[in-house]
């Protein structure tokens, strides 16, 4: 009787482990409202750059190819003044197969800003040293927030991982 009970418990444990691993190797992702997450980035109104949303043709001109990717949500902001090193773009891909494509599009933006000789030297340096392209599940983001990029990446990953 003990053997049957032990075998039954082992089978139940195995089934529960397999069920928990069926979502991307055990990594669960939360549903994150990207606009709400954006609103949490700048908490000090005195030290917040004036940001404007990137939409439509303007977004496509800075991120060519992004409009062709099926997205569940997207949030894109850049500063109103080009001398400010700040840009935030976050998307949730509808399909996991598009994550690498979006990462390439975001990295191309970083590379173009580093190579843009018309940028201020400090802005080029910020793009080169502080811009972060990250992905977690179907979420992909580009963060350039002078002095804050690493912390925002940590917060982004924590929000997605629930």
């Amino acid at each position: 009787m003990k053997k049957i009970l032990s075998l039954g418990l082992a089978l139940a444990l195995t089934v529960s482990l397999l069920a928990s691993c069926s979502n991307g190797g055990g990594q669960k992702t939360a549903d994150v409202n990207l606009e709400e997450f954006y609103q949490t980035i700048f908490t000090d109104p005195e030290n917040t750059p004036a940001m404007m949303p990137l939409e439509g043709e303007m977004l496509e001109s800075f991120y060519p190819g992004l409009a062709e990717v099926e997205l569940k949500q997207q949030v894109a902001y850049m500063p109103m003044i080009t001398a400010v090193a700040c840009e935030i773009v976050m998307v949730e891909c509808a399909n996991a197969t598009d994550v690498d494509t979006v990462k390439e599009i975001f990295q191309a933006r970083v590379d173009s800003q580093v190579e843009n000789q018309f940028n201020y030297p400090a802005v080029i340096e910020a793009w080169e040293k502080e811009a972060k392209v990250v992905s977690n599940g179907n979420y992909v983001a580009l963060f350039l927030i002078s002095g804050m990029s690493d912390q925002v990446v940590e917060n982004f990953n924590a929000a997605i991982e629930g």
Side-chain angles (χ1 to χ4, degrees):
M1 184 69 177
K2 285 184 178 179
K3 286 183 180 182
I4 293 173
L5 184 58
S6 296
L7 185 58
L9 288 173
L11 181 62
L13 180 60
T14 302
V15 169
S16 68
L17 283 172
L18 289 174
S20 69
C21 292
S22 66
N23 184 12
Q27 180 182 15
K28 296 175 83 176
T29 57
D31 289 329
V32 176
N33 181 313
L34 296 177
E35 184 63 41
E36 287 178 7
F37 178 80
Y38 172 79
Q39 297 302 326
T40 68
I41 293 173
F42 301 108
T43 57
D44 180 5
E46 297 288 322
N47 205 15
T48 300
M51 302 289 279
M52 66 180 190
L54 284 173
E55 302 170 325
E57 289 179 20
M58 186 180 226
L59 181 65
E60 183 63 21
S61 70
F62 290 122
Y63 294 90
L66 190 59
E68 292 152 24
V69 177
E70 184 181 352
L71 302 173
K72 288 185 178 180
Q73 54 179 326
Q74 78 181 25
V75 172
Y77 287 91
M78 70 182 317
M80 293 180 171
I81 301 170
T82 60
V84 176
C86 189
E87 194 156 310
I88 300 166
V89 183
M90 300 176 287
V91 301
E92 180 183 7
C93 297
N95 304 302
T97 56
D98 290 328
V99 168
D100 286 337
T101 300
V102 174
K103 285 172 61 177
E104 289 171 9
I105 291 168
F106 287 3
Q107 188 59 52
R109 171 67 174 161
V110 173
D111 296 343
S112 72
Q113 290 301 96
V114 169
E115 296 166 5
N116 184 349
Q117 297 302 311
F118 297 108
N119 271 337
Y120 293 98
V123 172
I124 293 171
E125 183 178 359
W127 275 98
E128 186 173 39
K129 293 182 178 178
E130 294 192 50
K132 309 289 183 203
V133 176
V134 296
S135 65
N136 193 328
N138 285 5
Y139 295 90
V140 185
L142 182 154
F143 295 114
L144 172 60
I145 309 154
S146 188
M148 295 175 48
S149 296
D150 289 332
Q151 183 61 52
V152 173
V153 168
E154 281 183 39
N155 295 347
F156 179 74
N157 285 325
I160 292 169
E161 292 165 8

